Amino acid sequence: KATTPSDLEIARAVTLRPIEEIAASAGIPADALELYGRYKAKIDVERLPPADQLGRVVLVSAISPTPAGEGKSTLTVGLADSLARAGRRTMVALREPSLGPILGLKGGATGGGRSQVLPMEDINLHFTGDFHAITSANNALCALIDNHVFHGNELGIDPRRVTFRRVMDMNDRALREIVVGLGGPTQGVPRQDGFDITVASEVMAVFCLAKDATDLADRLARITIGYTYSRKPVTVADLGAEGVMAMLLKDAIKPNLVQTIAGTPALIHGGPFANIAHGCNSVIATTTARRLAEIVVTEAGFGADLGAEKFVDIKARSADVAPSVVVLVTTVRALKMHGGVPKDCLAEPDADALARGMPNLARHVATVRRFGLEPVVAVNRFSSDSTEELDTVLAWCSRAGVRAAVADVWGRGGGGDGGDELAREVLAALEAPGQCRQLYPLALPVDEKIRTIVRDVYGGADVEFSDLARRQLAQIEENGWGGLPVCMAKTQYSFTDDATQLGAPEGFTVHVRELWPRTGAGFIVAVTGALMTMPGLPAHPAALRMRLDDDGRPVGLF
Ligand code: ADP
């Protein structure tokens, strides 16, 4: 029996088209293209012709994910290919993968099966150097902070209250907490510091929310790096570092063009964390795609309680990217897991567990409708799914009046016929698109914003603030940051702040431990539960199965 080919094997069998051809098909003039080899290019947005109409945004989100991943990226790519196959000018907008998780567990983050963006080896490994540039801009600021403190500390920065940390694109737990400046008076001023992974950097969040180069520099200038001895916030502007940071990002802010397996143009740009940041690709890429295509298919991280909420309340509040339709990716396996089936028994049919898992999907559907948007449920088909189980999900959706389709874009590809039905449902939904509205007004106090999200999106009863969080709420008001939206840092596996509470629990309290002002990105992070801003590697990292083959090609990316 033939074994299923790996994502990498499928990717390698595809004959890529030169990126100039893909650009031409998307209406990108040759002089707006900056080539990075034969299959990647950056787009100089300034050189694009004016758009007479902006494309509509289809946001791909999901039910509460299980540890396996629900296939959101796969569905995003597959749906775009299906829409292109249906004759619509379509573009994909996705996040750039982070190297740390690739070397750890994930092995790659460019979709899967017959729905991938290519060249997957390049996109997964360094790509066009954007993460390097973001890391450099972040660390230039760190060097300037410590240098300022060393040379007399005119601003009076309290070294114990520097909140801005160094970053690198690696899972390296040994660097979470470190001491810098050791070695005597000529080596700097000792203080406790630490590294985060690059995707957790506020520079990444700023990069992804900036509308253009000017907005980028303005937002960088507003980043709070710490506090003075008298507890006054210190910003990048106080240090005068926004100029060099913006300079280091001058090429990175141009969106990267690649192609899907079926040759649909894809912009892959930026990749902020989905917990302490908003978890979607850059505003610049999404708006560029809107200028070029009739339909833009884009993805938000985690489930709709986190990803779609942040897309609407953070990204679409500050930029013109409001979605018209939200696709909720679900799998029979994940619904069974929400119905109480353990991870290693998900291949066995279990109608009761499936029914018990449905309320999770139902709550996400309600959330999407609360945003004024029309949900379309996409059941991502796995080979272990039985026809009865797939029909059960479709029947539930039909009773709930929700558009739904089974998609096999992983197995058959969106360029094949694997996503035709889903594309039909999405196109029908686009005929009567919703009117996107935010969940809360910015004028609401920060604690009330958090309560609104917990009650209206998570289905919880209340919020409990730690003593520290309560003090921080007062400081946030005092410093004039109370009008910022909230970015919830919560486990993606549950509506609650406890990752083991699957399904759709009710009556729970969410515990806010800490609040982190991200004044450059323009949101307040509400930290619930344990939070990792520098992941570690697992006992058997994917990295140890990676190498180059005899022809110098990567092996071991999934
Ligand atoms: P997410 O974006 O939700 O994290 P991905 O699209 O990255 O998920 O998919 C996670 C993994 O699951 C990938 O390795 C992908 O190949 C695999 N996968 C996705 N859909 C299917 C499917 N229908 N059948 C089998 N494997 C799948």
Side-chain angles (χ1 to χ4, degrees):
K1 184 174 164 249
T3 52
T4 318
S6 71
D7 290 352
L8 185 57
E9 282 161 350
I10 292 173
R12 279 231 183 105
V14 176
T15 307
L16 288 170
R17 288 163 62 193
I19 200 67
E20 292 96 326
E21 262 182 41
I22 301 292
S25 76
I28 302 167
D31 70 344
L33 216 54
E34 298 180 1
L35 299 179
Y36 280 63
R38 271 182 290 176
Y39 307 113
K40 296 167 284 180
K42 279 191 170 283
I43 300 176
D44 185 348
V45 179
E46 306 292 321
R47 288 174 181 272
L48 290 180
D52 21 308
Q53 223 183 348
L54 293 180
R56 280 192 291 187
V57 176
V58 174
L59 177 66
V60 177
S61 189
I63 63 162
S64 306
T66 58
E70 267 30 79
K72 275 196 311 294
S73 306
T74 307
L75 247 301
T76 304
V77 175
L79 172 60
D81 285 343
S82 307
L83 290 166
R85 194 174 121 92
R88 300 309 181 103
R89 224 153 29 81
T90 309
M91 214 155 173
V92 181
L94 277 178
R95 279 181 288 178
E96 298 184 48
S98 166
L99 195 54
I102 289 171
L103 299 187
L105 273 176
K106 280 192 101 162
T110 42
R114 301 219 56 83
S115 292
Q116 300 184 46
V117 276
L118 303 175
M120 77 93 96
E121 300 97 312
D122 291 26
I123 299 169
N124 281 310
L125 303 173
H126 312 303
F127 199 19
T128 55
D130 295 347
F131 279 27
H132 158 78
I134 291 164
T135 304
S136 301
N138 184 104
N139 293 343
L141 175 57
C142 294
L144 289 166
I145 295 168
D146 281 309
N147 187 56
H148 181 91
V149 173
F150 176 76
H151 288 292
N153 197 3
E154 201 184 318
L155 291 169
I157 298 170
D158 184 343
R160 300 160 308 179
R161 291 199 170 83
V162 174
T163 48
F164 195 86
R165 289 157 56 94
R166 292 174 157 81
V167 297
M168 66 161 71
D169 191 18
M170 198 56 66
N171 287 11
D172 193 349
R173 68 169 64 73
L175 291 174
R176 281 176 193 156
E177 302 295 338
I178 61 171
V179 179
V180 294
L182 297 181
T186 57
Q187 317 291 351
V189 176
R191 66 178 184 89
Q192 194 175 338
D193 194 11
F195 275 81
D196 293 335
I197 189 162
T198 296
V199 293
S201 164
E202 189 173 355
V203 177
M204 175 65 89
V206 162
F207 179 90
C208 289
L209 286 168
K211 290 193 218 9
D212 51 36
T214 315
D215 189 31
L216 176 71
D218 289 348
R219 284 173 184 266
L220 289 169
R222 293 198 292 266
I223 292 177
T224 301
I225 61 102
Y227 300 84
T228 65
Y229 285 106
S230 54
R231 309 273 185 105
K232 293 268 173 302
V234 180
T235 64
V236 167
D238 294 331
L239 283 162
E242 68 273 23
V244 65
M245 293 171 77
M247 181 196 78
L248 290 169
L249 296 170
K250 81 175 174 56
D251 293 312
I253 60 158
K254 297 171 187 162
N256 306 295
L257 178 70
V258 290
Q259 62 193 290
T260 68
I261 285 183
T264 307
L267 293 182
I268 302 203
H269 196 227
F273 251 19
N275 52 21
I276 62 160
H278 55 295
C280 33
N281 65 265
S282 74
V283 160
I284 293 182
T286 311
T287 49
T288 302
R290 289 195 74 194
R291 288 173 63 180
L292 294 165
E294 197 185 333
I295 304 175
V296 179
V297 188
T298 190
E299 177 193 343
F302 297 161
D305 55 333
L306 290 157
E309 189 272 310
K310 291 175 188 188
F311 195 98
V312 169
D313 283 320
I314 298 174
K315 183 169 172 172
R317 199 192 293 265
S318 77
D320 187 13
V321 295
S324 296
V325 167
V326 177
V327 173
L328 283 175
V329 178
T330 184
T331 61
V332 164
R333 296 152 54 93
L335 288 168
K336 283 192 284 192
M337 207 163 164
H338 284 294
V341 176
K343 201 175 156 194
D344 42 6
C345 305
L346 292 174
E348 291 155 36
D350 187 337
D352 292 342
L354 190 58
R356 283 197 306 272
M358 276 313 178
N360 185 276
L361 174 60
R363 195 167 291 170
H364 289 293
V365 164
T367 294
V368 172
R369 289 191 167 147
R370 189 155 272 131
F371 296 139
L373 299 168
E374 212 28 56
V376 177
V377 171
V379 190
N380 178 14
R381 178 180 204 140
F382 277 68
S383 52
S384 60
D385 297 347
S386 69
T387 316
E388 294 76 47
E389 289 173 310
L390 294 166
D391 287 345
T392 304
V393 181
L394 294 181
W396 181 91
C397 291
S398 151
R399 280 197 303 279
V402 188
R403 292 183 183 282
V406 174
D408 187 14
V409 295
W410 184 85
R412 306 213 299 271
D417 60 355
D420 285 358
E421 266 169 64
L422 177 62
R424 259 198 303 277
E425 292 301 326
V426 168
L427 288 171
L430 280 172
E431 290 297 314
Q435 199 32 262
C436 179
R437 55 172 183 264
Q438 275 76 36
L439 191 65
Y440 54 82
L442 290 179
L444 213 60
V446 170
D447 55 337
E448 283 307 315
K449 287 173 192 157
I450 297 172
R451 260 190 205 98
T452 306
I453 297 172
V454 168
R455 285 189 186 143
D456 294 356
V457 175
Y458 304 167
D462 204 4
V463 185
E464 199 176 279
F465 293 89
S466 71
D467 290 345
L468 173 63
R470 240 189 299 262
R471 282 200 304 279
Q472 289 170 327
L473 279 173
Q475 284 156 10
I476 284 166
E477 288 300 330
E478 221 168 277
N479 289 326
W481 301 326
L484 294 175
V486 167
C487 178
M488 295 297 290
K490 177 183 75 69
T491 174
Q492 68 268 38
Y493 298 125
S494 172
F495 284 119
T496 76
D497 54 12
D498 170 1
T500 64
Q501 303 279 310
L502 304 187
E506 284 172 5
F508 56 88
T509 296
V510 167
H511 306 86
V512 174
R513 208 159 44 79
E514 249 184 275
L515 296 160
W516 298 350
R518 292 288 183 258
T519 51
F523 49 68
I524 305 288
V525 180
V527 181
T528 72
L531 181 68
M532 198 83 82
T533 50
M534 171 52 97
L537 289 171
H540 304 285
L544 296 181
R545 296 184 292 280
M546 293 175 183
R547 59 184 173 84
L548 291 177
D549 67 12
D550 293 342
D551 300 322
R553 298 183 309 182
V555 176
L557 298 166
F558 308 157

